Amino acid sequence: MTDSGRGLPGLLDTEAIRKDFPILDRAVHDGAKLVYLDNAATSQKPRQVLDALSGYYERHNANVHRGVHVLAEEATALYEGARDKVAAFINAPSRDEVVFTKNASESLNLVANMLGWADEPYRVERDTEIVITEMEHHSNIVPWQLLAQRTGAKLKWFGLTDDGRLDLSNIDEVITEKTKVVSFVQVSNILGTVNPVEEIVRRAQDVGALVVVDASQAAPHMALDVQALQADFVAFTGHKMCGPTGIGVLWGRKGLLDDLPPFLGGGEMIETVSMHSSTYAPAPHKFEAGTPPIAQAVGLGAAVDYLSAIGMDRVQAHEHALTEYAVGRLREVPDLRIIGPVTGENRGATISFTLGDIHPHDVGQVLDEQGIAVRVGHHCARPVCLRYGIPATTRASFYLYSSPAEVDALVDGLEQVRNFFG
Amino acid sequence: MTDSGRGLPGLLDTEAIRKDFPILDRAVHDGAKLVYLDNAATSQKPRQVLDALSGYYERHNANVHRGVHVLAEEATALYEGARDKVAAFINAPSRDEVVFTKNASESLNLVANMLGWADEPYRVERDTEIVITEMEHHSNIVPWQLLAQRTGAKLKWFGLTDDGRLDLSNIDEVITEKTKVVSFVQVSNILGTVNPVEEIVRRAQDVGALVVVDASQAAPHMALDVQALQADFVAFTGHKMCGPTGIGVLWGRKGLLDDLPPFLGGGEMIETVSMHSSTYAPAPHKFEAGTPPIAQAVGLGAAVDYLSAIGMDRVQAHEHALTEYAVGRLREVPDLRIIGPVTGENRGATISFTLGDIHPHDVGQVLDEQGIAVRVGHHCARPVCLRYGIPATTRASFYLYSSPAEVDALVDGLEQVRNFFG
Amino acid sequence: MYQDVILDHYKHPHGRGLRDGDAEVHHVNPTCGDEITLRVRYEGETVADVSYEGQGCSISQASASVLNELLVGKELDEARRIQDAFLELMQSKGQLEPDDAMEEVLEDAVAFAGVSKYPARVKCALLSWMAWKDATAQALGEGAAKERTA
Amino acid sequence: MYQDVILDHYKHPHGRGLRDGDAEVHHVNPTCGDEITLRVRYEGETVADVSYEGQGCSISQASASVLNELLVGKELDEARRIQDAFLELMQSKGQLEPDDAMEEVLEDAVAFAGVSKYPARVKCALLSWMAWKDATAQALGEGAAKERTA
Ligand SMILES: Cc1ncc(COP(=O)(O)O)c(C=O)c1O
Ligand SMILES: Cc1ncc(COP(=O)(O)O)c(C=O)c1O
């Protein structure tokens, strides 16, 4: 194993950071050290987040919002406090713009459904158009397909260039006066591409279309500033950013959240209910039907604290250095083809590749036997595989605790894969 | 403080059980012992559930279903294993009939939305009817109001008798040939009433209507057997039955789940996706878009194990004995009016009441100062308050760790409330 | 939190009942079902009457009574200052120790300082004050009201 | 899990390629994108040919090759017995230690015992076998197939 990556500028002190993540000490397959490179699927959780979860359950657990007893008040303060933390983390102009959902998928479905039931001028209906891209996660494709089927609207999309970027050459034909909404991913979960948000937002604003940004792979890895993005909605998910499963976020502009109709109905989201009709609470509660993921919001708050204490710019610099290093080393592996940008520029720490004609399943399995966890398959972005004429890829994805030594382990592991199937 | 409740037949050994629940040791307001009587809002969590949660995150955390590495396989086995446990707990004919949602509210919205988008013969549309009752939780009212508004269907409901029971005298006029779906609560979260499921199911079956049972207040407190219920869908929520927040369940008949359209679209719920169209995975995954609440399902599995080890029949017997005792003691309190059945027959361990014209807020606050946590307000069932001409109630609700001494503390506390505002 | 002053106002409310007014509003606290119907009457810039009817907890009832006692007879500017001070106190989360100056403005209403520690109850205390603000805006015309606060 | 037998079949597959048949099916494993197109040809009750084309991992490729080797030339009843035995082995979660009897039925296919420990890979191993079952039902008519299994 080489350790040529040791001296990379911008690296975090991963040895210290890894101490916060109990699972990273785990051995797998009778003694192999775990090398966890599946962070685009989900991240691991630091002790601080686990403590926040058990602390909540052991001392403060109650249902929120409607109680006059101590526990209910504490639980409410913790839950709403988590909203404050998330709002600050994404630089939201108002805490009331932060809606807690169960995951990014629900956030995106929420927007699609709101727009289907909205009044003019937001309503998506026959003779209007929805624009997405060919590099979306299924969670940002299927909700729009369903909306198009159910309303008669037309679904259009941007294609991809050979080097894994959005092809915006025909932007004026794709986004037109008929476009009601443009929804796209900020950082691709399969290609690693970082997309040019500004150019798309500008065109969308020109035609008066709403913009939805899927920031599921951005929020964990770089400073996310919803005001700078200038989008109308931003969706992301807690479990990829050191938080628990079961919690997602939808940020939306206040005026829109006020104007748009609710999605799920039930407790918490109402103002007053009679059998004949109901009125709804102001946002964000209007969109949070039922008992919310209280403990999970608290856990996400702790995750946001954890990341902020390190600093998102430092996290990004760390991952950038590591990605540069990994791209370089992977390009040395014979027969390896990176699917996506082949340099570190405008790309995140997610690298998909094929290895000759060895099937990704076999690549993943032989790596696993060495303790190296990568993901194989279409990564919920099957249109990308179709676009590049491949059935699947192997994907290695890094996070703030990933080290150059782990990149080296991956490269060595791939060597073994080649020997095995060679 | 009397301890006349000590020798009640059927009581569990609460002293032993309480040791499993760390929060029950907590003192509030500078030293008052916590008397937690807000179990209908949410239950507390035993150590066993908290250990399952941290064990999951510390040793097995990964995204489910698509990985070939060890963690992904372990996480998938744990998540799907939780489905097996829940299926066994409710005596489901097949594990594939158990859909994990974020809470009971999502489960109910899921059904309402499926029926709105379904093909014949299930489709709810203009000239069809939806039947609910006046004692529903808002989460079983608002989804149907939204569906009625959006489809043009008519919403009808059963009224209530003066003693807090469903008025089924006009059942043949309420449920008619036009009825597509009947959705009602098995145990009321405000009145405590246990409803006669069979009679309603029989009539619904006669006219070919689907039956949805909101078992949110039943699943935690008695053996739930979906086959015996004979309903088509059953919804409940994890946090009220010793499980974590952020997880709910929808059980549905296999044939229906196969026939009905999806609700949320995204990763996990697809079979194959192209930009032009998608096909969906078989149930239950068809209804689980995005990364599911993995840890929360594992936690719910542990909760179900915990409850099963004690035995749901014993839990029910305990609560029944306690409720009989509590109803008796509360009826001794001057000016106290129970809203709901005034005997222990066919009622759960949730008792709502008013105390003269002292506002429930004031009742709750003065009790809180003594460490007694009750809920005050309309309990997300405002139509019930309207029906009985009251603005709100005070509600005490018990669980398997509640003791006669806590009932006594409540009664003593109410005496203090009366003195204070007398 | 249940100061004697609050209990007194609760048991013996000032100016309760609906009388003639220039504007009437109905406010509801959806989380607990507290309701108030409130009317204001102005004579020029003077708060001539605030009459009300409603149901609610001791805090919301006492707060309406205190409002009546404090605001009736005051000039609008002064009434607004009192309302602002009360709002500030209620939003202080128990952090604000009323000083002499505040006590002079708020009189009996300083007794509500303790309520500000209980988020669920702050809304109760503010219900009548929000209703008053709303009714005043209606009575004097939204435009006029805005001009004055500008 | 990668027994030499498996790697051998993967590198040198038996009977790969599409030839004439009585029925053709196309099966996909959506989680990993493995695909197979498979044709069966029957002469009376005899499995005359199983031809296939597809893409997939070593396990799914080797399993199709083993299937071809094991089933071609067999009587349908016998082929079904082999398929059942393979299914049982694959669903055993690594708990089943193939005995001599099983080894006699499954021949090379016992090498897949190790795969049954990996739930994500079981589907790969079964892809061609499920396709064969489906194609057979089509070739012989669903009714006929049902009758036979009854
Ligand atoms: C009878 C009943 N139905 C539905 C619900 C909604 O459950 P959740 O808030 O977990 O969605 C509740 C609890 O709040 C309930 O008591
Ligand atoms: C780009 C992108 N969008 C959306 C999602 C969906 O997130 P979740 O599964 O948490 O709903 C993911 C992750 O799976 C993703 O990577």
Side-chain angles (χ1 to χ4, degrees):
Chain A
M1 196 184 284
T2 65
D3 64 358
S4 41
R6 280 288 169 107
L8 298 178
L11 283 194
L12 293 168
D13 178 358
T14 50
E15 253 171 68
I17 289 176
R18 294 173 78 89
K19 296 215 172 79
D20 292 330
F21 291 80
I23 205 173
L24 296 179
D25 265 347
R26 217 195 111 160
V28 292
H29 292 308
D30 315 314
K33 201 172 143 35
L34 174 65
V35 176
Y36 185 75
L37 302 181
D38 193 15
N39 293 286
T42 201
S43 74
Q44 298 303 342
K45 326 299 175 200
R47 169 75 53 209
Q48 289 82 342
V49 168
L50 303 187
D51 288 348
L53 288 174
S54 20
Y56 169 78
Y57 286 124
E58 288 173 11
R59 286 194 304 279
H60 312 292
N61 175 62
N63 213 325
V64 291
H65 291 148
R66 289 158 301 175
V68 295
H69 59 78
V70 178
L71 296 184
E73 282 179 350
E74 290 175 354
T76 304
L78 285 165
Y79 177 67
E80 293 297 337
R83 198 190 306 278
D84 291 326
K85 290 179 183 186
V86 171
F89 187 72
I90 62 174
N91 195 27
S94 158
R95 68 183 304 283
D96 295 337
E97 297 181 341
V98 173
V99 177
F100 285 128
T101 61
K102 70 172 171 179
N103 55 26
S105 303
E106 186 191 354
S107 301
L108 293 163
N109 279 275
L110 206 179
V111 180
N113 276 275
M114 283 194 287
L115 298 183
W117 295 119
D119 293 325
E120 286 302 335
Y122 304 118
R123 193 179 181 92
V124 169
E125 58 197 334
R126 188 168 296 283
D127 295 326
T128 68
E129 295 176 354
I130 301 162
V131 172
I132 59 174
T133 88
E134 204 174 358
M135 68 164 81
E136 297 311 311
H137 188 280
H138 293 163
S139 293
N140 201 25
I141 298 177
V142 183
W144 305 109
Q145 286 180 338
L146 287 170
L147 181 65
Q149 278 163 30
R150 289 169 179 181
T151 59
K154 185 168 169 195
L155 184 65
K156 296 165 76 177
W157 55 86
F158 289 105
L160 307 182
T161 64
D162 287 343
D163 57 345
R165 307 234 171 237
L166 284 183
D167 176 5
L168 297 179
S169 60
N170 57 348
I171 189 167
D172 292 349
E173 287 99 78
V174 176
I175 301 178
T176 71
E177 298 289 331
K178 288 188 174 177
T179 308
K180 286 279 180 166
V181 54
V182 181
S183 187
F184 64 98
V185 73
Q186 188 176 354
V187 180
S188 160
N189 72 307
I190 175 167
L191 299 167
T193 318
V194 177
N195 286 318
V197 176
E198 205 188 319
E199 189 177 348
I200 303 174
V201 168
R202 209 179 317 118
R203 173 66 188 161
Q205 287 178 344
D206 281 350
V207 301
L210 294 179
V211 174
V212 185
V213 170
D214 175 359
S216 302
Q217 298 287 347
H221 302 290
M222 56 182 74
L224 178 61
D225 179 336
V226 295
Q227 300 191 53
L229 277 186
Q230 294 206 48
D232 298 291
F233 295 102
V234 176
F236 54 97
T237 199
H239 67 89
K240 294 190 203 283
M241 50 195 286
C242 299
T245 59
I247 181 101
V249 174
L250 176 69
W251 171 84
R253 277 184 202 284
K254 183 89 176 56
L256 286 169
L257 294 180
D258 288 344
D259 288 352
L260 290 167
F263 172 40
L264 304 181
E268 306 279 356
M269 58 72 77
I270 56 94
E271 188 181 63
T272 178
V273 172
S274 78
M275 295 306 288
H276 294 276
S277 68
S278 302
T279 56
Y280 309 118
H285 299 113
K286 175 161 80 172
F287 301 104
E288 296 182 354
T291 302
I294 307 172
Q296 293 74 34
V298 173
L300 180 57
V304 152
D305 282 345
Y306 182 81
L307 290 170
S308 300
I310 291 172
M312 290 309 293
D313 289 337
R314 291 179 64 212
V315 169
Q316 185 177 19
H318 171 80
E319 293 184 16
H320 183 73
L322 205 62
T323 304
E324 292 263 347
Y325 177 65
V327 167
R329 291 233 48 202
L330 287 171
R331 290 177 71 174
E332 290 164 13
V333 177
D335 302 328
L336 187 144
R337 171 185 166 210
I338 291 179
I339 309 295
V342 292
T343 69
E345 213 181 324
N346 284 331
R347 66 138 45 249
T350 290
I351 309 178
S352 271
F353 56 86
T354 58
L355 190 63
D357 51 14
I358 307 173
H359 192 280
H361 258 180
D362 293 319
V363 178
Q365 195 89 47
V366 174
L367 290 177
D368 175 59
E369 283 167 10
Q370 302 164 62
I372 303 167
V374 295
R375 187 128 311 215
V376 301
H378 51 51
H379 316 293
C380 289
R382 188 164 170 270
V384 170
C385 293
L386 295 177
R387 163 65 179 82
Y388 294 108
I390 48 177
T393 78
T394 301
R395 180 185 75 182
S397 51
F398 308 104
Y399 205 10
L400 74 167
Y401 38 65
S402 306
S403 69
E406 291 183 312
V407 173
D408 296 337
L410 171 66
V411 171
D412 293 347
L414 291 172
E415 201 47 46
Q416 295 211 32
V417 173
R418 291 185 62 250
N419 291 340
F420 197 81
F421 291 102
Chain B
M1 196 186 283
T2 66
D3 63 359
S4 42
R6 278 289 168 106
L8 298 178
L11 282 194
L12 293 167
D13 178 359
T14 49
E15 252 172 68
I17 290 177
R18 292 173 79 88
K19 294 215 174 78
D20 292 332
F21 291 80
I23 204 173
L24 297 180
D25 266 346
R26 217 196 111 162
V28 292
H29 292 309
D30 314 316
K33 202 170 140 39
L34 174 65
V35 175
Y36 185 75
L37 302 181
D38 194 16
N39 292 286
T42 201
S43 75
Q44 297 304 341
K45 326 299 174 200
R47 168 77 53 210
Q48 289 83 340
V49 169
L50 304 187
D51 287 349
L53 288 174
S54 21
Y56 169 78
Y57 285 126
E58 286 174 10
R59 287 195 302 279
H60 312 291
N61 175 63
N63 213 325
V64 290
H65 293 146
R66 288 159 301 176
V68 294
H69 59 79
V70 178
L71 296 186
E73 282 178 351
E74 290 175 353
T76 304
L78 284 166
Y79 178 67
E80 294 297 337
R83 198 189 306 278
D84 292 326
K85 291 178 183 186
V86 171
F89 186 71
I90 62 174
N91 194 26
S94 158
R95 68 182 306 281
D96 294 337
E97 297 180 339
V98 173
V99 177
F100 284 127
T101 61
K102 69 173 170 177
N103 54 26
S105 303
E106 187 191 352
S107 300
L108 294 164
N109 279 275
L110 205 177
V111 180
N113 276 274
M114 283 194 288
L115 298 183
W117 294 119
D119 292 326
E120 285 303 334
Y122 306 116
R123 193 179 182 92
V124 169
E125 58 197 333
R126 187 168 296 282
D127 293 327
T128 66
E129 295 176 353
I130 301 162
V131 172
I132 59 175
T133 87
E134 204 175 358
M135 69 163 82
E136 297 312 310
H137 188 279
H138 293 163
S139 292
N140 201 25
I141 299 177
V142 183
W144 304 109
Q145 286 180 338
L146 287 170
L147 181 65
Q149 278 162 29
R150 288 168 180 181
T151 59
K154 186 169 168 195
L155 184 64
K156 295 165 78 177
W157 55 87
F158 288 105
L160 307 183
T161 65
D162 286 343
D163 57 344
R165 307 231 171 241
L166 284 183
D167 175 6
L168 297 179
S169 60
N170 56 350
I171 188 165
D172 291 349
E173 286 99 80
V174 175
I175 301 179
T176 71
E177 298 289 333
K178 289 187 173 177
T179 308
K180 288 281 179 162
V181 53
V182 181
S183 186
F184 65 97
V185 73
Q186 187 175 356
V187 181
S188 160
N189 73 306
I190 175 167
L191 298 168
T193 318
V194 176
N195 285 319
V197 176
E198 206 187 318
E199 187 178 349
I200 304 175
V201 167
R202 208 179 320 116
R203 173 66 189 161
Q205 285 178 346
D206 281 350
V207 301
L210 295 178
V211 173
V212 185
V213 170
D214 175 0
S216 302
Q217 298 287 347
H221 302 291
M222 55 182 74
L224 178 62
D225 179 337
V226 295
Q227 301 192 52
L229 276 186
Q230 293 206 48
D232 298 292
F233 295 101
V234 176
F236 54 98
T237 198
H239 66 90
K240 295 191 203 283
M241 50 194 288
C242 298
T245 59
I247 181 100
V249 173
L250 177 68
W251 170 84
R253 278 184 202 284
K254 182 90 176 58
L256 285 170
L257 294 180
D258 288 345
D259 287 353
L260 289 167
F263 172 41
L264 303 181
E268 307 278 356
M269 59 71 77
I270 56 95
E271 186 181 66
T272 175
V273 172
S274 78
M275 294 307 286
H276 294 278
S277 68
S278 302
T279 57
Y280 309 118
H285 298 113
K286 177 163 78 170
F287 301 104
E288 296 182 353
T291 302
I294 308 171
Q296 293 73 37
V298 173
L300 180 58
V304 151
D305 283 345
Y306 182 81
L307 289 171
S308 302
I310 292 173
M312 289 310 292
D313 289 338
R314 292 179 62 213
V315 170
Q316 187 177 16
H318 171 79
E319 293 184 17
H320 184 72
L322 206 60
T323 304
E324 293 263 349
Y325 178 64
V327 167
R329 291 233 48 202
L330 286 171
R331 289 176 72 173
E332 292 163 13
V333 177
D335 301 329
L336 188 145
R337 171 185 166 207
I338 290 180
I339 309 297
V342 293
T343 70
E345 212 184 325
N346 284 331
R347 69 141 38 252
T350 290
I351 309 178
S352 271
F353 56 85
T354 58
L355 190 64
D357 52 12
I358 306 174
H359 192 280
H361 257 181
D362 292 319
V363 178
Q365 194 89 47
V366 174
L367 289 176
D368 175 59
E369 282 167 9
Q370 303 164 62
I372 303 166
V374 295
R375 188 130 310 217
V376 300
H378 50 50
H379 316 293
C380 289
R382 189 165 169 272
V384 170
C385 292
L386 293 178
R387 162 66 177 82
Y388 294 107
I390 48 177
T393 78
T394 301
R395 180 184 74 183
S397 50
F398 307 104
Y399 205 11
L400 73 166
Y401 38 67
S402 305
S403 69
E406 292 183 313
V407 173
D408 296 336
L410 171 65
V411 171
D412 293 347
L414 290 172
E415 202 46 46
Q416 295 212 32
V417 173
R418 291 185 63 250
N419 292 338
F420 197 80
F421 290 103
Chain C
M1 88 188 244
Y2 293 111
Q3 304 278 329
D4 286 344
V5 177
I6 293 180
L7 287 177
D8 260 8
H9 274 276
Y10 169 55
K11 290 176 187 165
H12 313 288
H14 284 248
R16 199 183 161 93
L18 285 174
R19 298 171 292 277
D20 273 356
D22 308 328
E24 173 182 311
V25 298
H26 180 74
H27 275 212
V28 177
N29 178 345
T31 54
C32 62
D34 283 6
E35 299 189 13
I36 192 164
T37 305
L38 180 143
R39 290 186 191 157
V40 291
R41 191 163 59 76
Y42 281 89
E43 283 170 7
E45 292 278 301
T46 311
V47 184
D49 194 15
V50 181
S51 63
Y52 62 93
E53 193 104 79
Q55 56 185 10
C57 61
S58 58
I59 301 298
S60 75
Q61 301 288 87
S63 158
S65 167
V66 166
L67 179 149
N68 173 286
E69 191 177 69
L70 275 179
L71 300 193
V72 173
K74 294 283 192 318
E75 290 304 295
L76 185 57
D77 279 355
E78 172 66 6
R80 285 230 165 83
R81 251 196 309 279
I82 297 171
Q83 130 109 19
D84 286 346
F86 190 68
L87 197 68
E88 192 193 339
L89 181 66
M90 294 318 299
Q91 291 175 341
S92 69
K93 302 187 173 165
Q95 300 305 310
L96 208 148
E97 194 58 67
D99 56 12
D100 286 356
M102 189 168 236
E103 211 152 320
E104 199 158 307
V105 178
L106 288 180
E107 302 177 26
D108 276 7
V110 294
F112 286 82
V115 177
S116 72
K117 268 181 279 184
Y118 298 84
R121 307 305 297 276
V122 169
K123 281 187 199 156
C124 308
L126 288 178
L127 186 67
S128 52
W129 294 79
M130 291 303 170
W132 175 78
K133 193 178 166 191
D134 201 6
T136 296
Q138 279 184 32
L140 305 178
E142 291 250 20
K146 276 211 184 100
E147 219 170 292
R148 274 193 192 87
T149 53
Chain D
M1 90 186 238
Y2 293 110
Q3 304 278 329
D4 285 345
V5 178
I6 293 180
L7 287 176
D8 260 11
H9 274 278
Y10 169 56
K11 289 178 187 165
H12 312 289
H14 284 248
R16 198 183 161 91
L18 284 174
R19 296 170 294 277
D20 273 354
D22 308 328
E24 173 181 311
V25 297
H26 180 73
H27 276 212
V28 176
N29 178 344
T31 54
C32 63
D34 283 7
E35 299 189 14
I36 192 164
T37 305
L38 180 143
R39 289 185 191 159
V40 290
R41 189 162 60 77
Y42 281 90
E43 284 169 7
E45 292 277 302
T46 310
V47 183
D49 194 15
V50 181
S51 65
Y52 62 94
E53 192 103 79
Q55 57 185 11
C57 62
S58 59
I59 301 298
S60 74
Q61 301 288 89
S63 159
S65 167
V66 166
L67 178 150
N68 173 287
E69 191 177 68
L70 275 180
L71 300 193
V72 173
K74 293 283 189 320
E75 290 305 295
L76 185 56
D77 278 355
E78 172 67 6
R80 285 231 165 83
R81 251 194 311 279
I82 298 171
Q83 131 108 19
D84 286 346
F86 189 68
L87 197 66
E88 192 192 340
L89 182 65
M90 294 317 297
Q91 292 175 340
S92 69
K93 300 189 174 165
Q95 300 304 311
L96 207 149
E97 194 59 65
D99 57 11
D100 286 358
M102 189 167 234
E103 213 153 319
E104 199 156 307
V105 177
L106 288 180
E107 301 178 27
D108 275 7
V110 293
F112 285 81
V115 176
S116 71
K117 270 180 282 187
Y118 298 85
R121 305 307 294 279
V122 168
K123 281 188 199 157
C124 308
L126 288 177
L127 186 67
S128 53
W129 293 80
M130 291 302 167
W132 175 78
K133 193 177 167 192
D134 200 6
T136 296
Q138 278 185 33
L140 306 177
E142 292 248 20
K146 276 213 185 99
E147 221 169 294
R148 273 195 192 86
T149 52

